[in-house]
Amino acid sequence: MQHALIVEDLPAIRDWLADAARAAFPGVQVTTAARVDQALARVAERSYDLALVDLGLPDGSGLDVVGALRHHQPKALPVVVTIYDDDDHLFPALQAGAFGYLLKEQPQETLVAQLLRMTQGEPPLSPPIARRVLSHFANSPQRQKTLVRQIENEVKLTERETDVLQRVAKGYTLPEIAQQFGLSRHTIADHIKQIYRKLNVSSRAEAALEAARRGLVQP
Amino acid sequence: MKQRLPAHSVLAGREGRLLALGLMFLAFWSILSVSIALREPSLGWRFAPDLQGQGVLAYDPRKAVKVTERAQAGLRLLALRAAETDAGGAGRGDVIALESLIAVEAPSMLSRQEDLERFFDLQARVWALLDGAQARGQPVEVQLADGQWVTREVHPRQWSELGWLYGVPLLCGMVPFVVGMGVCAWRWQSVGARFLGLASVMALLALAEVAVVTGRLWLLPPWFAEAGQIFVRCTSLVAVWAFVMMMLHYPTPLRQARAWTRGSAVLLGVLLVLNALQWPDSQTLRYKLWLVVASAGFIGLAVWQSLAHRSDPVHRAAGRWLAASALVAFSVVIYAFVVSLVYDVQVVSNSYRWVSVPLLYIGLMVSVGRANLFELERWWVPLCLWYLGGTLVVLTDLALVALLRVDAGAAITLSLLVIGWLYFPARQWLLGRLQHSSRPRVMTYLPDLMGAVNAGLAGEQAAREAWRQLLERVFEPLAMERQPLVAPAAGEAPVRIDDLGRQLQVPDVGGEGVWQLTLARRGRQLFTDDHAQVAGQLWQLLDLGLSQQRQTQAAVDRERLRIASDLHDDLGAKLLSIVQAGQADGTAGLARQALDDMRQSVRGMTGKPLAAAEVLADWRAEMVGRLDAAGFSVQWEAQDPAPGLILSPRVHLQLTRVLREAVSNVIRHSGGRHCRVGLAFAGGELLLDVEDDGRGLPQAPSGAPPGLGWPNIERRARKLGGQHRFEASCLGGVRVHVAVPLAGGAVAGEADAP
């Protein structure tokens, strides 16, 4: 972790997030932005390893920054920092390509611990989110048929991934699931990372498809 | 007709061929009939029997003369002879006395066989005399009533002499023929329609002969006179047989119809042979008796059919049409008969009674073709009452004339007055009552409709169910089926009647399906425009109500979202600042708690009801995760909730807080290493247990120790109308027990699929 981007409009929170990033990754260089346009400019300037992005920004949604990062800097790790903890806010963030989310009011040490866990490859996955992901993939076979073939294989969940999601949806914790499968926590974390990636790919493909469809309807 | 053919194919296919063949036959038969009628030698007179005395009446055939006025309009003739020839060799020949029976309208009116034979004999002699005179180009002489002889030219009969007496019966034969062929062509599958076709062919054949006979001026061609008699009897027998067979098979074949058809066909064959041989002598035995038998059979079968289809409105409507047309047709004959009987005069020629035949056929056409064409269901009762009114007037009039010898003019006035004052008010009252009670009215069902709109608050499913119940209540359909909506045609009414009134299509809530109602009033009624109108109005009102409600709901949701978002953005941001700023002095914890409370409240405000199974999963993930992270071993014992059990946002929120509080206590204060969480559903309650193996209940008897948050747990349990207990656990530590009722707060229903 050498470069971190922090996008947050409140100066106090911005500093606090910068402190947390420095505490988690000593020696990290922090770039900050308070608005979406600023953030996009920063993204264009250089590459980052980590980005902490607030959702409600004065000139738009942090999701745009997450999308730009996903698109231009696939290696960067976008994490959404928010005051909302309901899945109605979080699911779109994950679809946009966020790798996880942090709640703003947590004590700094919790924040640091979560950051470390995320960068080590264990994204958070709550039962409501797992249910949303499952239904997203279950309801899209019709849509997937129309997708380009190469994307199609990429966005289908494997049997094991579906299995993991179902267990999460039932309320089992990741260590429990690892134990049930007789697998290491790392393997389970890898599955979850794949699920997140596929969710993002499938959502982007759908968005592109939707745009194309609208383009056809209104040339 | 549902299977209406496109115009270009009308003459293609079996229907077209049958129709073309029928039309060709019609033309051929009409030409044949006219050519036979024109073969009659004419004296330029039409003859009629002289009812006052001997001889016949002669009058101008181009004028329609009433039966009663013929004596004034015409000449009275007594005898006929050939004119004196110049050669004188042949002499004058015999004088033929003209008996009145030679001019009867139809030979079938002569009931005695000897009269019939005299008729034919006289016809043949007169024909020979006229034919000979015409061949020689000589006139004949007729004797007038005063004994004087006058000369009269003989010429071939002309077009203009055919007259109404010829035209009416022929037309009365042509109309049924066209109707019968049409019904037959388009309903070939129906056995009844085929018998109707046969009867209509026979009607044309017989009535063409009748036209020649009754429309003649005086004579029948000798070859035709007797053969025609046999022909018309045979065709009439076939026609009435076909009618009876039609009744046997229509609307549906009665029991053992096939055997009856075969048996009666054999009998018919025998009768045809007997009539052809003119044996036995008695016409009654070989012809008239069987007409009576057939009529009785027709009526009997009609009654049987209507009894068999009492509960089937479509067939019942067809049967009613049949009955109505038969009633009107027979009324014409019976009125004419009764009037002539009562007034002791014959006003018009018998020829005109044939009008009843096409009337009957037009009724049959509607019956076999489209039973609900004129919504008979709706005006069957008014029709019967109207008919009854007319009949009452006629009967009163006739009774006054026949029994009290009242003058004809006075009688009709009197009967109109009596019936007008007595019957028509009663009819109006009866009709009003019947129609008022039988027609569904929107106003009656407004409370139910408002109920259905209110049900929409609980979701589309509930509104749909309420709408279904409302339709059930209004129409009492025999069957009700929900079908997927097939792409509705532009401009098509949302409510429509299908299958000749058998079905009513009504839209369903949600716009994805239609209700198909089969037969109103438990199958006793067909759907009429009245029903469709009421259903349409109810649907419009419901749709309006539901859309208003959706708008209101959307506005409420928007407002809640706005409040929630404001809370987050303003209050949330400030609390967050306190969290950040208060790290040092300990207010951070309090602020964090406030933030969490705010978030939970907002969630309770904007939240949707969740399936209990999902709530349990969320709880498990959170609690097990926290306990695990704090180093506790967890024993999670959750009973599976009933499928479809739903927790209201309120119960969900409060219990989440209770559970969090209890688990936090375990982590912070118990000092134990093990925690058991139990969740169970029993007796309509949710039972929650959190226990640990820690230090156990505090010793202080003065109440709950501070910091444990027990008052919070107690308050929340009470808010939900539940109970709580803090007690010693068998694990060694504390046991927190909370039981809350699910009824009130929770709704049992279908959970949204995850």
Side-chain angles (χ1 to χ4, degrees), chain B residues 1 14-15 135-136 168 173 189 230 234 253 319 394 408 430 462 559 630 694 700 704 708 710 718 720 738:
Chain B
M1 231 175 286
R14 197 190 50 232
E15 293 92 349
R136 290 193 300 277
V168 169
Q189 281 74 23
I230 296 169
C234 290
V394 173
L430 196 66
E559 188 59 14
L708 276 183
W710 283 3
R718 197 147 8 91
L720 293 175
V738 172

Side-chain angles (χ1 to χ4, degrees), chain B residues 691-702:
Chain B
E691 45 192 325
D692 59 68
D693 60 347
R695 278 186 287 274
L697 285 170
Q699 295 305 310
S702 57

Side-chain angles (χ1 to χ4, degrees), chain B residues 340-360:
Chain B
S340 68
L341 207 69
V342 169
Y343 284 88
D344 209 16
V345 279
Q346 198 181 10
V347 183
V348 291
S349 161
N350 263 338
S351 246
Y352 299 118
R353 72 183 165 185
W354 298 113
V355 174
S356 62
V357 177
L359 280 179
L360 182 60

Side-chain angles (χ1 to χ4, degrees), chain B residues 483-527:
Chain B
Q483 295 190 327
L485 185 69
V486 221
E492 200 177 43
V495 174
R496 63 173 202 279
I497 294 174
D498 269 357
D499 199 5
L500 308 177
R502 198 188 283 267
Q503 269 154 1
L504 184 72
Q505 308 270 1
V506 187
D508 193 12
V509 177
E512 281 165 10
V514 285
W515 280 113
Q516 182 176 288
L517 281 66
T518 306
L519 296 175
R521 302 275 96 79
R522 295 271 163 265
R524 291 194 300 274
Q525 266 186 26
L526 290 173
F527 288 108

Side-chain angles (χ1 to χ4, degrees), chain B residues 691-736:
Chain B
E691 45 192 325
D692 59 68
D693 60 347
R695 278 186 287 274
L697 285 170
Q699 295 305 310
S702 57
L708 276 183
W710 283 3
N712 281 336
I713 293 178
E714 184 179 347
R715 194 170 53 240
R716 297 191 200 288
R718 197 147 8 91
K719 266 189 191 170
L720 293 175
Q723 289 162 354
H724 70 285
R725 272 202 311 277
F726 305 108
E727 57 195 16
S729 160
C730 55
L731 293 177
V734 179
R735 175 171 182 255
V736 176

